[in-house]
Amino acid sequence: MAATLSDFIEQARLAARSVLEYGEGLINPTVRLGITGLSRAGKTVFITALVHGLIRSGRLPVFEALSEGRIARARLAPQPDDAVPRFDYESHVQALVADRVWPESTRQISELRLVVEYQSRSGAMRELTLDMVDYPGEWLLDLPLLSKSFESWSAETLEMSRRAPRAQLAKPWLTHLAGLDGASPAEESVAIDAARLFTEYLSACRSERYGMTLLPPGRFLMPGDLAGSPALTFAPLDVARDGSPPSGSLWAMMRRRYESYKDVVVRPFFRDHFARLDRQIVLIDALAAFNAGPEAVSELQDTFRSLLDCFEIGRRTFLSALLRPRADRILFAATKADHLHHTNHDRLEAILGRMVERAIARADVAGAAVDVIALAAVRATREAEVRQGGATLPCIVGVPARGEHAGSANHKDCSGKMFDGMTEVAVFPGELPDDPDALFAPGAAPFRGLTATTAEEADFRFVAFRPPPLETAGDGVPALPHIRLDRALQFLIGDRLT
Ligand SMILES: Nc1nc2c(ncn2[C@@H]2O[C@H](COP(=O)(O)OP(=O)(O)O)[C@@H](O)[C@H]2O)c(=O)[nH]1
Ligand SMILES: [Mg+2]
């Protein structure tokens, strides 16, 4: 990418702040942890469970500082950024623990500071400040746009829209596009129509049935206060990759707005948030992809690639020698593993590992440690073996949320039934393939999801459960049950507490 003046200004600002933050870091060791994921991936639940676990000393045996008894106390403290909303920890805990409902969803960035008082392995008392930043994964997936021209972004987006199952969803937009001439005079009403049809296509791809995940520009699906502004009123055009637009043309207008989107949305996000992260966890609802079908699962693999590209782009484009190395640990976590029997947790992890392996080989995120994990920040289910027609099915037991439907892949007794939100049931969610290669073999269609069939016929059906009652930890402190939350914590901050 050619460096522009705004990139240089960006770098200078980043460098100045980095020096400042570095100075503060010497006095007060601080880890800035980014928690990202597409909407509904489980960010709010993850942060709430993590903070609850640390403040209440939950059951976290793999998290060494805690299991070795070296954490004296963890407490919330005022956050460093005045202009970022505070993560509403208290309400979220109230919802989860007292009301046993999932916290309400939020769609903006938020921040929370936690101070951990601990004893180092050498015996000295120390403090680690943990700043957690919760931001939409959609914004992260915008970073690759920084290195793409309007023309190459258009070409890539068009190419993708012609593949199954996107092609059928893209029809109205593509039909409109076929009638457009990029060289014709710019007209606002044409841009508005194109942007609307393009946005409708993106939002159809994201639906539960199709479960597509690679849908930039992120703000088209989450416009916030930019809704209706010119920076969001553009769409790809069918123009030459290396061409340039006649002045005053529709093409010139679309290109200018695409560049504005980068200036107004993507660069500030990069500068103010992404470039300052020391550690990163990316939460992924892989089970939503399994609900949708093999196409969604295979798209997840492309999404990983794009995510790893983001970290690579960060290093290549913006970081100068003055900046301390950032995001030196990246954890990809499949959330809601409690929707599976434990025999499937390892399979889920193996599938993710396989997806990331390819992505890492390509993205070359030199210098950062990358790992994958299947976890449930809050475990809403127990396990049970259920006998059915001579076979034993590995089931999970929980209270399905009110209004959820069971599919035929679930336990026979409740097929097609609607749940009341009070009754505990055993369900069989389906089994993940034990050989990840089977999923990604060319032309393989190893299972049926919502994309191809009905909920009743689909091979997987992950119903939503209500949050669980509290468990009591060894010392009588009530704790939220989880799966591998302690392993995630150990990877993300364990080394900073030694
Ligand atoms: N069973 C289970 N469900 C979860 C878990 N985490 C999230 N969920 C479900 O996913 C939904 C979205 O989670 P949330 O944290 O709000 O997602 P966010 O949009 O990424 O902040 C919740 O309302 C829950 O239904 C988990 O650990 N276990
Ligand atoms: Mg949230």
Side-chain angles (χ1 to χ4, degrees):
M1 181 174 89
T4 61
L5 180 62
S6 68
D7 289 335
F8 287 122
I9 295 172
E10 226 60 37
Q11 290 214 18
R13 280 199 222 170
L14 270 169
R17 188 175 47 208
S18 177
V19 168
L20 234 161
E21 289 183 348
Y22 181 71
E24 281 171 14
L26 289 181
I27 306 162
N28 272 324
T30 301
V31 171
R32 210 172 157 85
L33 172 63
I35 294 107
T36 193
L38 299 176
S39 67
R40 318 259 331 135
K43 299 177 288 296
T44 302
V45 173
F46 177 83
I47 298 176
T48 308
L50 184 155
V51 172
H52 190 262
L54 286 175
I55 290 184
R56 312 286 290 261
S57 306
R59 255 193 321 148
L60 302 163
V62 177
F63 182 47
E64 289 168 7
L66 192 65
S67 63
E68 290 167 8
R70 293 189 290 105
I71 294 192
R73 192 161 88 104
R75 58 184 158 84
L76 294 175
Q79 71 192 48
D81 297 285
D82 292 335
V84 177
R86 179 176 181 274
F87 181 86
D88 192 0
Y89 172 72
E90 293 76 9
S91 312
H92 298 329
V93 168
Q94 163 79 22
L96 261 183
V97 171
D99 307 338
R100 282 188 65 197
V101 294
W102 299 104
E104 262 183 52
S105 80
T106 48
R107 326 190 97 209
Q108 52 170 348
I109 193 157
S110 67
E111 186 176 75
L112 189 68
R113 171 170 278 191
L114 187 76
V115 175
V116 183
E117 297 169 18
Y118 71 101
Q119 187 175 37
S120 73
R121 288 231 162 91
S122 64
M125 282 311 293
R126 300 244 163 87
E127 278 189 358
L128 179 74
T129 300
L130 182 62
D131 285 333
M132 285 160 285
V133 186
D134 166 356
Y135 66 93
E138 285 83 355
W139 300 6
L140 182 56
L141 284 169
D142 272 352
L143 291 183
L145 300 184
L146 286 178
S147 56
K148 266 177 219 163
S149 68
F150 172 72
E151 290 72 25
S152 39
W153 170 70
S154 287
E156 283 173 25
T157 307
L158 275 172
E159 190 200 300
M160 220 147 92
S161 74
R162 293 186 177 123
R163 283 185 233 148
R166 290 176 177 244
Q168 69 192 90
L169 306 172
K171 261 190 199 141
W173 168 54
L174 292 179
T175 309
H176 180 260
L177 181 66
L180 291 187
D181 175 7
S184 65
E187 213 181 299
E188 186 65 42
S189 64
V190 174
I192 291 177
D193 285 342
R196 180 178 49 82
L197 290 165
F198 177 58
T199 308
E200 285 169 8
Y201 153 66
L202 294 178
S203 116
C205 290
R206 184 179 59 173
S207 67
E208 182 191 24
R209 174 156 182 211
Y210 295 97
M212 303 274 111
T213 40
L214 203 49
L215 303 165
R219 294 297 165 101
F220 279 50
L221 295 175
M222 284 188 140
D225 53 4
L226 285 175
S229 68
L232 297 195
T233 312
F234 63 93
L237 287 176
D238 199 355
V239 291
R241 233 179 220 266
D242 49 3
S244 54
S247 76
S249 64
L250 180 67
W251 180 359
M253 177 164 88
M254 294 290 204
R255 177 200 250 196
R256 192 177 56 245
R257 290 180 174 187
Y258 171 80
E259 292 302 329
S260 301
Y261 182 86
K262 294 203 266 182
D263 286 340
V264 178
V265 173
V266 189
R267 285 202 176 83
F269 164 67
F270 185 94
R271 177 188 68 221
D272 297 336
H273 303 293
F274 185 74
R276 296 165 66 199
L277 299 173
D278 303 297
R279 304 264 158 108
Q280 174 71 51
I281 179 166
V282 181
L283 301 173
I284 293 136
D285 186 354
L287 301 182
F290 276 96
N291 264 342
E295 298 88 351
V297 170
S298 121
E299 177 151 324
L300 252 194
Q301 193 170 11
D302 296 336
T303 304
F304 276 120
R305 201 170 290 165
S306 185
L307 287 168
L308 277 157
D309 279 350
C310 297
F311 294 97
E312 171 64 7
I313 287 165
R315 262 158 235 283
R316 204 176 48 226
T317 318
F318 287 91
L319 299 187
S320 68
L322 258 180
L323 303 175
R324 55 189 160 129
R326 291 290 192 164
D328 57 350
R329 285 183 177 220
I330 307 164
L331 183 59
F332 290 100
T335 54
K336 314 180 193 180
D338 58 325
H339 284 101
L340 293 166
H341 190 265
H342 77 266
T343 47
N344 277 269
H345 298 163
D346 291 340
R347 292 183 183 185
L348 182 55
E349 226 164 75
I351 292 167
L352 281 196
R354 172 62 206 279
M355 291 180 180
V356 181
E357 180 187 304
R358 291 256 191 104
I360 291 177
R362 217 200 67 165
D364 182 24
V365 272
V370 180
D371 202 0
V372 296
I373 188 171
L375 62 78
V378 172
R379 176 179 202 152
T381 63
R382 299 179 282 116
E383 296 183 345
E385 315 284 313
V386 172
R387 301 205 131 267
Q388 189 179 303
T392 309
L393 292 179
C395 287
I396 51 174
V397 181
V399 180
R402 197 187 155 94
E404 281 284 309
H405 285 270
S408 63
N410 299 150
H411 188 214
K412 277 275 181 293
D413 292 349
C414 49
S415 174
K417 193 164 112 180
M418 215 217 294
F419 298 113
D420 62 4
M422 309 293 285
T423 320
E424 190 170 74
V425 299
V427 296
F428 175 63
E431 290 216 84
L432 298 177
D434 61 353
D435 175 15
D437 289 331
L439 273 176
F440 303 111
F447 68 93
R448 286 168 312 164
L450 293 175
T451 301
T453 183
T454 61
E456 280 64 40
E457 297 293 315
D459 289 325
F460 297 103
R461 192 72 199 131
F462 300 108
V463 298
F465 292 98
R466 287 188 62 188
L470 286 186
E471 281 181 353
T472 307
D475 52 1
V477 181
L480 280 164
H482 64 85
I483 296 168
R484 299 180 184 173
L485 180 63
D486 49 349
R487 224 181 85 194
L489 260 173
Q490 180 61 26
F491 178 81
L492 291 169
I493 57 168
D495 63 318
R496 302 297 301 269
L497 293 168
T498 53

